[in-house]
Amino acid sequence: MDTVDCKKGIGTKEYNVGKSDYSKHLLQPWDLWKHMSNPWLCDIVKRLLRTKEDTPKMEDYQKIKHILQFLEENYRYDEKTDSNYTGSCYSLDLRWGNMDLLKLLLKDYHFNPRTEKHIMAIFNMILNSGPMNDYFFTEVNRHIDSLIELDKPF
């Protein structure tokens, strides 16, 4: 098995360690994470984008639901006190506009046409989110539930 030392001289985005396929893509989770401060939303981004040889998408969707449940229990925006977790992801300062970023994700990742609209809606919520309030959790959960339904065997 290759060690990290065997990869000297090769950019970190040109290969991956493990069974994910990020290195095949122009835009990788790290590219988004550099501009995000909420580690849980970063984890959701990773799970939406990855294709892992031995992990069914259903498992990633269920893990996203679990992450959302944790966020909702611990970092829900409180309108009465106008407070929430300070690491929530507001509009990202990326070199591309967010809509261009969504188009690039669509082009680069070739999502299943049945699931594409839900994945893009979740990314839009994360990339343009304000406080993690009832609307945020309701909408992201609704789209994840749809992805879970679409991923079930016929």
Side-chain angles (χ1 to χ4, degrees):
M1 182 167 176
D2 288 336
T3 64
V4 175
D5 289 339
C6 294
K7 301 293 184 183
K8 284 189 175 182
I10 298 176
T12 55
K13 289 179 60 180
E14 295 177 35
Y15 70 96
N16 30 285
V17 175
K19 297 180 180 183
S20 296
D21 71 342
Y22 301 123
S23 63
K24 294 179 183 178
H25 300 282
L26 173 66
L27 191 64
Q28 298 180 27
W30 289 348
D31 296 314
L32 298 172
W33 293 356
K34 292 187 299 187
H35 305 281
M36 298 172 70
S37 59
N38 184 312
W40 294 278
L41 292 178
C42 290
D43 195 17
I44 291 171
V45 164
K46 174 186 77 174
R47 292 179 186 289
L48 284 172
L49 292 180
R50 83 170 169 189
T51 300
K52 198 168 183 181
E53 193 176 296
D54 58 352
T55 304
K57 283 308 289 182
M58 176 69 81
E59 186 175 313
D60 278 326
Y61 298 150
Q62 290 169 337
K63 286 182 179 181
I64 290 170
K65 291 283 290 181
H66 195 210
I67 294 163
L68 286 169
Q69 183 180 3
F70 174 82
L71 284 171
E72 196 165 6
E73 289 171 0
N74 293 280
Y75 300 110
R76 174 184 286 282
Y77 176 74
D78 185 348
E79 293 179 14
K80 292 177 186 168
T81 62
D82 195 32
S83 65
N84 70 317
Y85 176 60
T86 58
S88 65
C89 177
Y90 294 93
S91 185
L92 296 179
D93 180 22
L94 298 171
R95 50 186 182 163
W96 313 285
N98 288 345
M99 288 312 294
D100 290 339
L101 180 63
L102 293 174
K103 288 176 188 172
L104 180 58
L105 284 170
L106 277 174
K107 184 177 181 181
D108 193 22
Y109 279 85
H110 308 288
F111 296 112
N112 177 328
R114 292 177 53 211
T115 61
E116 180 180 288
K117 73 177 183 179
H118 298 290
I119 291 171
M120 288 297 103
I122 294 166
F123 269 111
N124 193 40
M125 292 289 298
I126 289 172
L127 297 177
N128 297 301
S129 70
M132 289 186 288
N133 57 16
D134 286 340
Y135 178 76
F136 175 87
F137 289 111
T138 300
E139 287 302 300
V140 175
N141 272 302
R142 182 175 66 82
H143 287 290
I144 291 296
D145 288 340
S146 294
L147 289 170
I148 289 170
E149 277 300 310
L150 290 169
D151 200 52
K152 287 181 180 175
F154 292 106

